[in-house]
Amino acid sequence: MVDNLMLKALTAGYEGIVVWADILDRINVYPVPDGDTGRNLVITLSVLRNPSLSPDLLTRKILLSARGNSGNIAARFLAGFMSCESLESLPLSVETGRDMAYQAVSDPKPGTMLSLYDALVTTLKKNPPEGSKKWVNAVINDLKEAVKTTTEQLPELKKAGVVDAGALGMLVFFGPLLNTLADLTMEPSLFAEDLKGTLNLSADWQDRAYQGYCLDVVLKVERDGDEAIKHIMNVGESLVALPEGNCLKLHLHAPDRERARQDLSAMGAIVSWSEDDLAEQTLRFNKPRKNQSIHIMTDAAGSISRDLAQSLGITLLNSYITLDQLCLPETFVDPLRLFAAMREGAKVSTSQASDAERSECYHTVMKLYDRVLYLCVGSFYTGNYQAAMKWKAEHDPEDRMTIIDTGAASGKLGLIAKVAAEQALDSNDSSEVIALARKAVEKVREYIFLDKLQFLAAGGRMSKTGAFFGDVLHIKPIVSPFPDGARKMGVVRTVQDQIKFAFRCLEQDLPRDRESILFLEYSDNRDWLERDIKPEIEHRFPLLKVSLQLLSLTSAAHMGPGSWGLAFLPRNFQQGDSNV
C-alpha cells in the first residue's frame, strides 16, 4: 500500500488540478488548440482522490484511464514516481518517472510537460529533501520558472502569449503534493499571482481549424511491442505509447478514424477506444472570448455543463460523484455510464469538495479577477455557502467578492448563473449584474419529475420500504429545490400525467406575450425530450427559448435515471411584476 502521507499528498495534488482544470483548458494551444488538457488530467488522475491501492494497481488504473497527450505522458511519469517510499527516495523516483515519460513520446519537445519533469529532476539534485523544509520553496520556485520559460520555447505558445498547459498542470499538481510531503501549508493561489499574465490568450490570437480525431486506445498486441509501435507511428501523429503487459496504451491524432481503427485492428485486438473530434474541439476553442464586468462563479450542482460554463466565462466549483471505486468531479462524469450503472444497481454516492480545494478555488478567482460574484448552491444542500462566507471574512477585506445564497440547486441555480453571466458580458456595471442575479433568485421556477423512488432510497433520502411500495403503486413525485430543501410539488402515476402537469405549470407561470428562457433538463432521456417535449413547448410558447441541459449529476445521482425537469424565467423578469 502507498503510505498515508503519500496518499494525502497525491490527493492534494489531484485537487490542485481540479481547481485549475478550466484554466488549463483555456490556454491549451499545443500540440493542438483543442482545449482539453485540464479535462484529460482530471480524468486520467481521478483515482488519486481516493488512492487506497497498491502502487502497481494504482499505476495500472491511471494508465488505462489516461486521456489525451498530457494524460498519457503524466500516466507514464507516475508509473516511475510511484516507486517513491520516502523523501530520501524522491529525487530518484522523479528521475525514473521523467525517463519513462520521455520513452513514451515519439517526438519529445522542449516547452512541454517534459520540460517541467526535467526541471524537477534538476532542482531536486540542487535542493535535496531535508529536515529544514527550505527545499520545498526552492523546488517550487524553480518549477515556476520552468513553466514561465515554456512561452519562449514553443512558437505556438509565444504566439498565443501563454504558458504550456501540461507543464502548468504538473506545477499545480506538485505544489500541494510537495508541501504535503514536507508537512507544510502551501500559500494559496501562489501560481495565479505569479503567472497571471500568461493565463489568457492574446487578444489577436487565432489559429487554423484542425481535422481528424484524437484517439485513446488500449490495444492487445499480437507482435513485438517495439515493432508494433513502429507501425503505429504511420497511423497518426502526436503518438504516445505506453506498454502494459501484453497491451499497449496508445494516444494519437489520426486524420481518418475508420482507417485508424482498421490499421490498429490489424496489429491486435482493440480492448478499449475513446475519441474526440478535433474539428469540433478546435472550432469551439477558437471562438473569441469577451471580458466580463464581474466574474461569475457558481457550484456545479446547478444544471450547467462545462461547455456552457466555458462559453460564458463561468468558474464552476465541483462536488464529487463516486461510482463503485471511481471518484470524479461531477462535470467530468460520463452521464450515460452513470445512469446505466444506476439501473444495474451500482452504488453511487456524492461528496463535497474539501476545504482546501474550496479555499484554493476562492483564492485563485480572486487573484485572476477584480470582482467576483459567487452564486452559491442553497446553504440547505451543502456547506459551500458557510465555507465561502468564512473565507471571505478572513481574506476579502476590500469586499471584492459578493456571495449570494441562492437557496437553489439544479436548473434553478444553472439558469440564475446563465442570465448573470450573460449580463456580465453585456454590461459594464457590476452592480447591475448583482441586482439582476438577486432578482433572478426570486423569480426562477423549477419542476423536477422523478421516475422511480428506489434511487432516493439507495441514497438514503427515503426508506427502502416506502420506495418499494411507491414504485409498485407507480408513484412519481414532482419536486422543486427551495431554500429550506426540496419540496414536493405534486404526485402523478404516469409519464403522460407528468407531461400534463408540466404544461399546466408553464401555462400558469409563463406569460405567452413575453420572451422567456427555459432549461429542459434530461437524465438518460434526452432523445425523448428533444423529439417529443421540446417541439411541443416551442409550439405552445413561440417566444420561449428552450435549451436542453443535462440535469445536475449530484441531483440526478439521487433522483435516478428517467428523471427530467423544467427550469424557467422570463427574459425581462427584472422589469416590472410578473406571474413568475
Side-chain angles (χ1 to χ4, degrees):
M1 300 288 286
V2 182
D3 70 39
N4 289 335
L5 181 60
M6 180 59 81
L7 293 179
K8 185 178 177 182
L10 290 169
T11 299
Y14 178 69
E15 289 180 348
I17 288 177
V18 172
V19 170
W20 281 76
D22 288 347
I23 298 171
L24 301 180
D25 286 347
R26 190 170 72 203
I27 63 171
N28 173 207
V29 299
Y30 183 84
V32 174
D34 50 4
D36 63 2
T37 291
R39 182 205 69 173
N40 290 338
L41 287 173
V42 168
I43 292 174
T44 299
L45 305 180
S46 59
V47 70
L48 297 183
R49 192 165 192 267
N50 293 308
S52 54
L53 301 168
S54 68
D56 288 345
L57 188 54
L58 202 58
T59 298
R60 178 174 173 78
K61 281 186 171 291
I62 292 171
L63 179 70
L64 294 179
S65 63
R67 292 289 299 272
N69 191 280
S70 58
N72 281 275
I73 296 173
R76 199 58 181 157
F77 170 83
L78 286 169
F81 178 76
M82 287 299 181
S83 63
C84 182
E85 296 179 348
S86 64
L87 283 179
E88 290 73 21
S89 66
L90 181 63
L92 179 59
S93 299
V94 166
E95 188 166 4
T96 301
R98 187 274 310 270
D99 293 345
M100 293 176 72
Y102 265 94
Q103 292 166 10
V105 182
S106 61
D107 185 21
K109 299 282 188 182
T112 65
M113 182 185 289
L114 295 172
S115 296
L116 191 285
Y117 295 147
D118 284 336
L120 184 55
V121 170
T122 300
T123 188
L124 282 173
K125 289 180 178 178
K126 289 193 306 180
N127 306 286
E130 38 75 24
S132 73
K133 303 180 182 180
K134 293 180 180 179
W135 64 274
V136 177
N137 285 337
V139 167
I140 290 176
N141 284 333
D142 285 347
L143 295 184
K144 279 192 295 185
E145 290 305 312
V147 171
K148 290 179 182 178
T149 303
T150 61
T151 304
E152 300 298 324
Q153 290 177 299
L154 285 169
E156 294 88 345
L157 301 179
K158 188 170 185 178
K159 177 183 175 184
V162 296
V163 295
D164 180 67
L168 178 58
M170 287 296 95
L171 174 63
V172 300
F173 174 73
F174 277 111
L177 184 149
L178 294 176
N179 273 280
T180 302
L181 285 179
D183 196 26
L184 293 171
T185 300
M186 190 176 79
E187 181 182 340
S189 64
L190 177 65
F191 308 130
E193 186 167 12
D194 291 350
L195 300 171
K196 184 175 181 178
T198 57
L199 300 180
N200 285 294
L201 298 174
S202 301
D204 58 351
W205 180 86
Q206 193 69 28
D207 202 6
R208 65 182 176 88
Y210 285 72
Q211 301 296 322
Y213 294 86
C214 177
L215 306 178
D216 283 288
V217 183
V218 176
L219 183 69
K220 187 175 182 180
V221 291
E222 298 173 354
R223 62 177 76 181
D224 176 74
D226 291 338
E227 181 185 350
I229 290 173
K230 290 179 182 178
H231 284 81
I232 293 167
M233 290 178 69
N234 296 320
V235 177
E237 301 175 339
S238 299
L239 175 65
V240 180
L242 314 177
E244 174 60 30
N246 62 345
C247 292
L248 285 174
K249 174 64 174 65
L250 304 171
H251 167 78
L252 68 156
H253 294 168
D256 187 325
R257 170 182 51 188
E258 295 308 319
R259 177 64 182 273
R261 186 184 289 272
Q262 292 173 10
D263 290 343
L264 293 175
S265 296
M267 301 176 203
I270 294 175
V271 178
S272 69
W273 176 286
S274 60
E275 63 184 55
D276 288 310
D277 186 330
L278 288 175
E280 178 183 299
Q281 286 185 302
T282 56
L283 179 64
R284 183 171 61 242
F285 187 83
N286 276 309
K287 288 183 178 178
R289 295 161 172 82
K290 294 175 61 179
N291 292 325
Q292 299 168 310
S293 56
I294 184 170
H295 183 70
I296 306 299
M297 182 169 78
T298 191
D299 297 306
S303 298
I304 189 164
S305 66
R306 287 191 77 233
D307 286 345
L308 179 58
Q310 288 171 349
S311 70
L312 294 172
I314 296 173
T315 292
L316 293 177
L317 176 60
N318 274 281
S319 293
Y320 287 81
I321 292 178
T322 300
L323 173 60
D324 294 326
Q325 292 185 337
L326 177 66
C327 182
L328 273 171
E330 64 177 291
T331 55
F332 294 85
V333 173
D334 179 347
L336 294 181
R337 178 182 177 185
L338 172 67
F339 294 126
M342 291 181 74
R343 287 192 183 277
E344 294 173 1
K347 183 179 180 181
V348 177
S349 62
T350 60
S351 57
Q352 298 175 34
S354 69
D355 288 341
E357 185 176 336
R358 288 169 173 153
S359 179
E360 178 65 10
C361 185
Y362 305 151
H363 275 290
T364 299
V365 294
M366 291 293 281
K367 292 290 186 183
L368 295 178
Y369 304 101
D370 294 332
R371 292 292 310 278
V372 175
L373 172 58
Y374 180 19
L375 298 167
C376 193
V377 65
S379 55
F380 177 88
Y381 303 100
T382 77
N384 286 359
Y385 176 72
Q386 291 85 348
M389 291 300 292
K390 182 176 184 292
W391 180 91
K392 177 178 171 63
E394 297 172 355
H395 301 285
D396 186 23
E398 297 176 345
D399 195 28
R400 294 191 297 117
M401 176 185 276
T402 299
I403 304 171
I404 297 178
D405 180 359
T406 66
S410 304
K412 272 188 174 181
L413 179 59
L415 203 49
I416 294 165
K418 181 178 186 292
V419 297
E422 289 173 339
Q423 182 74 4
L425 291 169
D426 292 337
S427 171
N428 294 322
D429 187 345
S430 61
S431 63
E432 287 183 0
V433 179
I434 295 170
L436 178 138
R438 294 189 188 279
K439 195 72 171 179
V441 169
E442 297 175 14
K443 299 296 185 180
V444 68
R445 295 288 183 268
E446 182 174 28
Y447 299 93
I448 300 176
F449 303 88
L450 278 64
D451 186 47
K452 300 281 187 182
L453 295 175
Q454 71 182 80
F455 302 108
L456 289 177
R461 264 51 180 183
M462 69 178 301
S463 72
K464 292 183 178 180
T465 302
F468 172 78
F469 284 109
D471 286 339
V472 168
L473 296 172
H474 305 291
I475 292 174
K476 299 180 184 295
I478 301 156
V479 300
S480 182
F482 280 85
D484 57 353
R487 297 182 191 173
K488 184 186 293 185
M489 309 302 289
V491 175
V492 296
R493 293 183 181 275
T494 68
V495 173
Q496 286 304 313
D497 289 340
Q498 289 180 335
I499 296 170
K500 291 177 182 177
F501 187 99
F503 278 103
R504 281 200 304 271
C505 292
L506 292 178
E507 296 282 355
Q508 172 185 317
D509 292 340
L510 276 183
R512 288 178 177 270
D513 59 346
R514 290 168 60 181
E515 290 186 357
S516 304
I517 48 178
L518 180 144
F519 278 0
L520 182 55
E521 303 167 88
Y522 60 89
S523 54
D524 59 347
N525 46 15
R526 175 176 178 143
D527 290 347
W528 166 64
L529 290 170
E530 189 168 22
R531 182 187 66 245
D532 296 345
I533 307 302
K534 184 173 182 283
E536 184 62 22
I537 294 175
E538 292 171 332
H539 173 70
R540 297 196 196 186
F541 297 87
L543 297 181
L544 181 62
K545 182 178 180 181
V546 181
S547 297
L548 281 159
Q549 294 291 333
L550 178 66
L551 185 65
S552 159
L553 290 185
T554 44
S555 298
H558 300 294
M559 297 175 183
S563 299
W564 61 286
L566 306 167
F568 49 90
L569 193 62
R571 184 169 291 280
N572 56 347
F573 61 89
Q574 72 274 29
Q575 299 174 3
D577 293 326
S578 163
N579 292 330
V580 179

